[in-house]
Amino acid sequence: MILTVTLNTALDLTYTVPALVPHTSHRVTEVAERPGGKGLNVARVLATLGHDTVVTGFAGGPTGAVLRDLLAALPPRDALVSVAGNTRRTIAVADAATGDTTQLNEPGPHISAAEWAGFLRTYENLLAGADAVALCGSLPPGIHVGAYAELVRAARTARVPVLLDTSGEPLRRGIAARPDIVKPNVDELAQLTGAREPVRAAHDARRRGAHSVVASLGPDGMLAATPDGVWRAAPPAAVRGNPTGAGDSAVAGLISGVAEGLSWPDRLTRAVALSTATVLAPAAGEFDSAAYEDLLTRVGVERHAA
């Protein structure tokens, strides 16, 4: 079983408009409503790949009830912890003319100390049956900034491989707890280390505690600095579409590769193929399966000079 943690779950709303023009009214041509938050997106991709997946985190209020109703119809199993506050919404406005997407993210409900303690009990129980765990996304209000470090340490104590995908101070604190993999994008990596050159920054992040660092390079693919070497993987060509959720699909590729014991080149091939195929899909948590199968044979992976 692969466990994904989304402390700041969301109800994802996607509005499609013919063209997004500031300071005007818009007629929405299509509305999509999905359970969201980074870890839930990861879990949906993992389930499509055939992995037994459990999601945990927080859900509450009327929005949380809608999220759980939608989640009930999907393969990932629901182990979310109920809270008093109302789950946030994220609103994506997709411009049909350009293919661009504008994202609006609410902050999330306040989590009390008692709710956090209840979550920790659930998390530790779930770790007992997990082959790998992915910790994903932002922290909702009320949770201390070292929360991910605490969750990384619990996974390491349980001897469960752990991937961390967050940013800012939660990443800085979490990386010091020595996660097996961290997956920042190049801007997050630069913010963490002060280095703009990706290879140098990835090595710096490893010295700060991460066992392996996988940096997302956007349309240029991914860079991985690991104990076994440095690799760079890239799609055969840039694609046009909705990039929302592409990073989450990359996480699904990486953590499923860990659970299956794949080599680093094979993990990166899967991660880049999934993230690229997600750009071609209508929403986060989904990917174009035909494109994915094709990309598996065409993603380029090269060993990089350390």
Side-chain angles (χ1 to χ4, degrees):
M1 176 267 283
I2 299 178
L3 175 64
T4 73
V5 174
T6 312
L7 298 178
N8 211 5
T9 58
L11 179 65
D12 284 350
L13 301 173
T14 302
Y15 298 145
T16 301
V17 298
L20 182 60
V21 182
H23 314 301
T24 65
S25 296
H26 295 79
R27 184 176 297 278
V28 176
T29 57
E30 184 179 348
V31 179
E33 190 176 58
R34 295 173 178 85
K38 291 178 73 64
L40 266 69
N41 294 336
V42 172
R44 290 171 58 201
V45 173
L46 287 169
T48 302
L49 292 173
H51 282 274
D52 179 24
T53 310
V54 174
V55 297
T56 192
F58 298 107
T63 306
V66 174
L67 182 152
R68 298 186 87 160
D69 284 345
L70 292 170
L71 188 59
L74 300 173
R77 287 183 280 147
D78 178 355
L80 296 170
V81 175
S82 296
V83 294
N86 194 35
T87 295
R88 67 184 179 133
R89 296 165 298 174
T90 66
I91 300 172
V93 182
D95 185 324
T98 65
D100 293 335
T101 300
T102 299
Q103 192 83 13
L104 304 173
N105 297 328
E106 295 180 355
H110 186 278
I111 305 300
S112 70
E115 289 166 341
W116 174 246
F119 167 78
L120 286 177
R121 290 190 294 271
T122 296
Y123 175 69
E124 289 170 359
N125 288 336
L126 289 168
L127 283 175
D131 299 311
V133 58
L135 310 174
C136 306
S138 61
L139 299 178
I143 294 185
H144 64 95
V145 73
Y148 278 131
E150 187 173 358
L151 300 185
V152 169
R153 287 192 292 269
R156 289 180 57 81
T157 298
R159 299 183 182 276
V160 177
V162 55
L163 181 153
L164 176 61
D165 181 18
T166 189
S167 60
E169 190 61 21
L171 174 61
R172 190 180 303 276
R173 300 283 186 94
I175 206 171
R178 303 187 64 79
D180 294 272
I181 302 172
V182 294
K183 195 215 73 64
N185 61 39
V186 286
D187 291 334
E188 292 163 347
L189 191 58
Q191 183 184 26
L192 174 71
T193 65
R196 296 298 308 180
E197 200 285 312
V199 175
R200 179 181 175 185
H203 283 308
D204 190 339
R206 288 197 64 221
R207 286 191 291 271
R208 292 167 185 259
H211 193 64
S212 297
V213 177
V214 181
S216 187
L217 308 176
D220 295 325
M222 308 187 83
L223 174 80
T226 82
D228 300 324
V230 179
W231 283 272
R232 185 163 182 164
V239 297
R240 180 182 174 185
N242 181 3
T244 305
D248 303 333
S249 291
V251 168
L254 293 170
I255 200 67
S256 62
V258 170
E260 296 173 31
L262 299 184
S263 68
W264 269 108
D266 287 343
R267 294 179 198 179
L268 290 172
T269 295
R270 179 181 291 180
V272 171
L274 279 171
S275 61
T276 305
T278 296
V279 174
L280 299 171
E286 301 175 4
F287 61 93
D288 184 312
S289 57
Y292 168 62
E293 294 296 334
D294 176 61
L295 286 161
L296 282 175
T297 65
R298 300 198 299 127
V299 168
V301 181
E302 293 183 353
R303 188 144 193 162
H304 198 285

